[in-house]
Amino acid sequence: MVSTQVAEPKTEKRRPNDYKSNVKPIWCPGCGDYAVLASFVRALADMNLPPEQVAIASGIGCSGRFPAFARVYGYHGVHGRPVPLATGIKLGNPELTVFAFGGDGDAFSIGAGHLPHAAIRNVDITYVVLDNEIYGLTKGQPSPTTPTGHRTKASPYGKVGRQANPLMMMLSYGASFVARGNSSDPRTLTDLIIQAVRHPGFAFLQVYSPCVTFFDTYPMVKEKQTPIPDTHDPKDLYSAMRLASDPDHLYMGVFYQDDADDNYLSEMVKVSAKAGQNGYGIADLVGRYQVD
Amino acid sequence: MNQLAKEIGVGAKAGKNLIMIGAAAQVFGLSHEVARQVVIKRLGKRKDLLEANLLGLQTGYEWTEKNIGHALDDLHLGVRERHDEWLIVTGNQALAMGALAAGLKFFAGYPITPASDIMEFLAAELPKFGGTMVQAEDEMAALAMCMGASYSGQRAMTATSGPGMALMLELMGHASMTEVPVVVANVQRAGPSTGMPTKTAQADLWMAVYGGNDEPPRIVIAPSTVRDCFVQTVNAINMAERYQIPVVILSDQALSSRVETIEPWDLDNIPRLERVVAGPHEGKGDYLRYRITEDGISPMALPGTPGTYYTAEGLEHLESGAPNYEPAQHRVMMDKRWRKLETAYQEYRTWPDMWDRFGADDPDVGVICWGATEGAVREAVMRQNMRGRRVAAFVPKVLNPLPREELLDFAEACKAVMVPELNARAQLAKLLLSELRIESETLNKYEGLPFTPGEIEAKLDEIYRALDLEPAGEALEVMAK
């Protein structure tokens, strides 16, 4: 039921390249997404997951192209809906290890309505948000995570409105796993992806993945990135919130993790037990509506 | 009634409403004794209420008999043969049962009048059939979850009403493009925007057939009776699977909550069509998810199968699924996806229950209608036949792709065709005109209420006068389907 177990290696150990498709990425040279893809396939290889047991749903945006470049099952969805798609895939086949991939616009703007529900439903999927603080595919409009005052063609006088804080959102929604990584530190990122997959519920992973063409956040990430303090206890929600709301540091690591066994699938097993289903069929159901 | 209640000393707490029930039962010719037994069965344990209720019931009967007597003989329902195995169900219950009979394993929905009780029904029943019901956060999530579950190999459906389906249109286009089987049941309600949620209409046909960006192919199917809600839902799920396409069921508010006593379905012979699934991929070259085939149907791989990796792609794509914008490729793929509708038509026209045809064999006037309007049309045609008028009706169940040969044959045999619909803009009539060049007299009602047979007959009278067709005088032998 739970996708976190590493499958028995039937053949020899798989390598990262075994998870790459022959479709070449079309991202700009220098795009952070290349490094995220590399960490992703590295994580799959480290877990030695059979590729046929992995499915990725993605949204629209540069990061939405992710599934085409991986040699696993993919579903390139519509804008903002990778999380409900991934939810359906997982509930349709609980054996699968299911990912959702999308960008900051996909996640925190058009798809933002799904986030609290993904958190409280707690279906065992891993949601990786590639956050470049800009709409890259549509060539540079401000997104919810774009800093206030930033000038783009769509915000010629500077972005009006505050900068969204995705980690604070997810922590307050009650997500059971909240972490942050960045494309410039692939080793940590690979480890975070593995931890997210092994988490037995909904796992949210924000990944800084800069856009060199429309908003280069490499310098900002480099200046602010800080490993999450060893003293932080990932079960301490308030400590997680303090770290997530620190304006001067971009902490990288696991902010919060709640291992409670209340993910959606284990709850549905209880529902099935309550409903009962031994030998019950359509004739039994229809028979209840007979005239007499 | 207030006066009667005062005279016999019953009030709103007990008995007053039974006066009206007694009166109605007398008007329809229902047995007083049977009504008494029903009340006793329901209230037998509440002695304090029973006496007043029985008194009210009796008073209603007696007053009506004395003051109206036999003036309402036309309304007497008569006594039908008792069939203990018959069913008492609503359209929404029949629809949900049909989905389960067709092997539904996943349902996600969002509350909306008048479709919510499909979700509630399946919340209770689906787990007993080994399936999953999710109440989603909105209609987009509901449909996306269904598409995800279907991608994983499960038979999936959502149910909504017009406003919800409007929100789903982008994803429905995506399901057409990625060729993912899914069923969207739209229990139509009246009015644009929020409109009149508890009133009925047949005004989402254009949205079902044409809605969404560009031209995504989909199948549209409309049940016409409570019993048919089951039959057409089975067909809808089978067609979604067989043609790897979204299928819209157009029910409506009047069907959804109407309780009917119906002949049971033949549960031992539920038709079942399977998805064409690709086996494990061996040998050289990629698995081609969107392989070009003569009938347009490409074997679909399911996650978990080794070797057949692919991306279900909403961008235009090659046979492998890899994105591609070459001019010729778009045409080839558009044609492939649309070819499935022609395959669907050629196949479904050989199946039972895909249209109803009743009335005169050699009609002067033909009625073409869809959905629940069939009920009023059936009665109107029968009455016209009894007056000697050669009227017949054709009720297509599939509205996209239309049963074109059958409709053309029917229309060409008639001197005039009439299309009654519960919408303002004559949606089926214009579909018939644009797709099949069938011209018709239209009758449109958009008041939130269903047609009465009298309204259908009044329009037929008008057509007969205009055509100067005299009735034959003798009653025609009424031909059921």
Side-chain angles (χ1 to χ4, degrees):
Chain A
M1 219 65 176
V2 178
S3 71
T4 50
Q5 73 231 28
V6 176
E8 294 293 321
K10 277 176 254 170
T11 54
E12 73 268 42
K13 184 92 175 66
R14 295 179 183 86
R15 291 183 307 201
N17 275 346
D18 294 339
Y19 298 93
K20 276 192 184 164
S21 81
N22 51 21
V23 179
K24 292 280 165 265
I26 52 165
W27 294 315
C28 302
C31 174
D33 291 2
Y34 285 101
V36 181
L37 179 61
S39 294
F40 174 69
V41 296
R42 163 68 65 189
L44 295 184
D46 283 359
M47 291 182 282
N48 203 27
L49 289 171
E52 68 269 18
Q53 294 296 340
V54 179
I56 305 173
S58 67
I60 297 295
C62 296
S63 54
R65 294 294 192 105
F66 225 85
F69 312 136
R71 194 169 157 274
V72 297
Y73 282 92
Y75 201 145
H76 187 191
V78 302
H79 200 18
R81 320 286 167 226
V83 169
L85 267 180
T87 300
I89 294 169
K90 180 69 181 178
L91 296 179
N93 181 353
E95 301 298 319
L96 301 174
T97 298
V98 181
F99 293 86
F101 274 84
D104 40 301
D106 202 80
F108 311 124
S109 190
I110 191 168
H114 303 302
L115 300 182
H117 307 282
I120 62 181
R121 198 174 282 123
N122 205 22
V123 174
D124 182 12
I125 58 175
T126 297
Y127 185 24
V128 183
V129 178
L130 289 82
D131 190 346
N132 56 14
E133 302 191 347
I134 201 81
Y135 282 87
L137 190 72
T138 49
K139 304 207 279 185
Q141 299 80 13
S143 88
T145 53
T146 302
T148 303
H150 181 68
R151 287 185 186 209
T152 73
K153 277 191 285 184
S155 55
Y157 309 109
K159 173 184 157 171
V160 177
R162 298 180 174 195
Q163 183 179 25
N165 184 329
L167 293 192
M168 286 298 282
M169 280 187 211
M170 298 313 296
L171 289 167
S172 51
Y173 292 158
S176 58
F177 181 99
V178 178
R180 178 155 66 197
N182 90 75
S183 62
S184 307
D185 182 0
R187 191 184 296 267
T188 306
L189 182 54
T190 301
D191 180 56
L192 289 172
I193 292 171
I194 292 171
Q195 288 193 62
V197 168
R198 291 188 172 155
H199 174 71
F202 176 70
F204 174 84
L205 177 57
Q206 180 195 23
V207 180
Y208 277 95
S209 178
C211 172
V212 287
T213 308
F214 294 104
F215 184 26
D216 187 354
T217 52
Y218 278 117
M220 181 279 292
V221 174
K222 191 175 179 188
E223 182 199 326
K224 290 191 178 177
Q225 65 170 320
T226 312
I228 206 155
D230 288 341
T231 51
H232 171 61
D233 173 9
K235 294 199 185 323
D236 185 341
L237 181 62
Y238 296 113
S239 166
M241 286 184 162
R242 268 193 303 277
L243 295 171
S245 54
D246 183 331
D248 302 321
H249 300 89
L250 279 183
Y251 291 106
M252 302 291 168
V254 178
F255 283 69
Y256 184 72
Q257 183 166 18
D258 175 359
D259 286 331
D261 184 25
D262 64 346
N263 76 62
Y264 197 79
L265 282 162
S266 52
E267 294 303 302
M268 287 318 285
V269 170
K270 293 178 201 164
V271 168
S272 288
K274 281 183 199 162
Q277 51 183 314
N278 286 341
Y280 186 86
I282 188 70
D284 303 294
L285 169 60
V286 171
R288 280 170 30 206
Y289 291 84
Q290 281 178 352
V291 166
D292 210 16
Chain B
M1 184 186 68
N2 285 333
Q3 195 188 327
L4 278 175
K6 208 171 273 176
E7 280 171 20
I8 61 172
V10 299
K13 188 163 174 262
K16 193 171 171 183
N17 55 340
L18 269 285
I19 296 175
M20 287 312 290
I21 290 178
Q26 168 66 17
V27 164
F28 291 122
L30 301 177
S31 151
H32 187 179
E33 187 49 34
V34 170
R36 268 181 62 85
Q37 292 308 320
V38 171
V39 173
I40 290 167
K41 196 171 167 185
R42 288 290 287 270
L43 294 172
K45 287 174 186 159
R46 298 290 305 271
K47 300 290 180 208
D48 52 325
L49 300 178
L50 185 62
E51 200 176 315
N53 276 293
L54 287 177
L55 181 61
L57 184 75
Q58 185 181 346
T59 306
Y61 263 101
E62 284 170 357
W63 185 91
T64 309
E65 190 177 15
K66 187 172 149 204
N67 292 281
I68 300 177
H70 297 290
L72 299 176
D73 275 354
D74 272 2
L75 291 174
H76 276 211
L77 296 176
V79 178
R80 282 210 300 201
E81 200 186 329
R82 190 182 168 89
H83 297 280
D84 285 346
E85 77 284 7
W86 282 34
L87 309 170
I88 301 175
V89 291
T90 67
N92 276 355
Q93 287 168 342
L95 193 153
M97 288 183 202
L100 291 168
L104 185 80
K105 282 290 180 288
F106 188 87
F107 180 97
Y110 185 74
I112 187 167
T113 302
S116 301
D117 46 356
I118 296 173
M119 179 170 75
E120 292 164 358
F121 189 96
L122 291 171
E125 298 300 330
L126 199 46
K128 301 180 195 170
F129 288 79
T132 304
M133 197 299 284
V134 183
Q135 182 177 323
E137 56 269 29
D138 57 41
E139 283 88 351
M140 285 89 77
L143 182 55
M145 286 179 198
C146 289
M147 288 161 60
S150 175
Y151 171 86
S152 283
Q154 306 290 355
R155 294 184 165 221
M157 180 177 89
T158 184
T160 184
S161 188
M165 183 174 157
L167 289 171
M168 291 177 182
L169 282 173
E170 186 195 19
L171 278 151
M172 289 174 62
H174 195 264
S176 294
M177 192 74 165
T178 53
E179 305 193 42
V180 168
V182 73
V183 174
V184 176
N186 174 352
V187 185
Q188 297 165 98
R189 63 192 222 187
S193 185
T194 315
M196 304 195 286
T198 57
K199 300 293 176 185
T200 199
Q202 300 179 290
D204 290 345
L205 178 59
W206 285 346
M207 174 165 71
V209 175
Y210 297 125
N213 55 306
D214 206 277
E215 299 164 329
R218 61 178 80 109
I219 290 170
V220 179
I221 192 162
S224 60
T225 64
V226 166
R227 189 174 190 279
D228 202 32
C229 284
F230 179 101
V231 174
Q232 300 310 338
T233 302
V234 171
N235 286 333
I237 290 181
N238 279 334
M239 290 172 101
E241 294 290 318
R242 166 95 183 112
Y243 308 113
Q244 297 177 24
I245 203 167
V247 177
V248 179
I249 299 171
L250 286 180
S251 179
D252 66 54
Q253 186 277 334
L255 273 180
S256 72
S257 55
R258 183 163 88 211
V259 180
E260 277 187 32
T261 308
I262 61 167
E263 195 180 341
W265 306 285
D266 181 1
L267 299 179
D268 296 326
N269 291 293
I270 305 287
R272 171 102 183 181
L273 298 177
E274 300 293 340
R275 195 184 297 189
V276 181
V277 172
H281 183 66
E282 288 158 8
K284 297 203 167 170
D286 286 338
Y287 155 68
L288 299 178
R289 165 66 185 97
Y290 301 109
R291 187 156 61 81
I292 302 297
T293 57
E294 206 173 311
D295 58 13
I297 302 167
S298 320
M300 177 175 180
L302 303 181
T305 313
T308 45
Y309 314 107
Y310 77 98
T311 292
E313 184 54 80
L315 293 165
E316 191 53 284
H317 43 259
L318 300 170
E319 284 180 290
S320 66
N324 186 282
Y325 300 169
E326 293 297 323
Q329 184 64 19
H330 181 45
R331 173 187 285 271
V332 164
M333 279 296 168
M334 287 291 280
D335 289 346
K336 171 222 185 303
R337 291 185 291 264
W338 276 95
R339 209 149 59 231
K340 294 190 291 185
L341 284 198
E342 181 60 19
T343 304
Y345 168 53
Q346 294 303 343
E347 293 185 356
Y348 87 65
R349 64 189 301 202
T350 67
W351 304 343
D353 304 321
M354 300 314 283
W355 54 80
D356 288 340
R357 188 198 176 296
F358 49 86
D361 276 337
D362 51 345
D364 291 324
V365 178
V367 180
I368 300 176
C369 68
W370 63 286
T373 291
E374 172 171 344
V377 167
R378 204 175 262 280
E379 186 167 338
V381 168
M382 190 179 73
R383 288 196 211 163
Q384 292 277 308
N385 289 163
M386 286 167 71
R387 288 170 57 187
R389 283 183 174 170
R390 292 203 300 270
V391 180
F394 189 97
V395 187
K397 303 301 172 70
V398 180
L399 302 173
N400 197 52
L402 287 165
R404 56 170 193 269
E405 301 291 337
E406 292 76 9
L407 279 163
L408 284 168
D409 285 350
F410 177 79
E412 279 163 11
C414 300
K415 297 187 177 74
V417 170
M418 167 197 168
V419 180
E421 296 177 79
L422 297 178
N423 57 49
R425 310 299 300 162
Q427 298 191 6
L428 178 63
K430 285 183 183 146
L431 199 62
L432 294 172
L433 185 64
S434 63
E435 299 281 328
L436 303 176
R437 307 285 161 92
I438 294 174
E439 292 192 25
S440 59
E441 297 291 320
T442 55
L443 175 63
N444 296 89
K445 182 174 179 179
Y446 36 104
E447 299 167 1
L449 296 171
F451 281 112
T452 64
E455 289 166 339
I456 309 284
E457 282 202 285
K459 183 68 182 181
L460 287 168
D461 286 344
E462 195 184 297
I463 292 171
Y464 266 83
R465 275 197 302 276
L467 289 178
D468 205 17
L469 287 168
E470 279 307 308
E474 298 278 310
L476 292 186
E477 195 179 323
V478 178
M479 279 140 293
K481 183 194 161 191

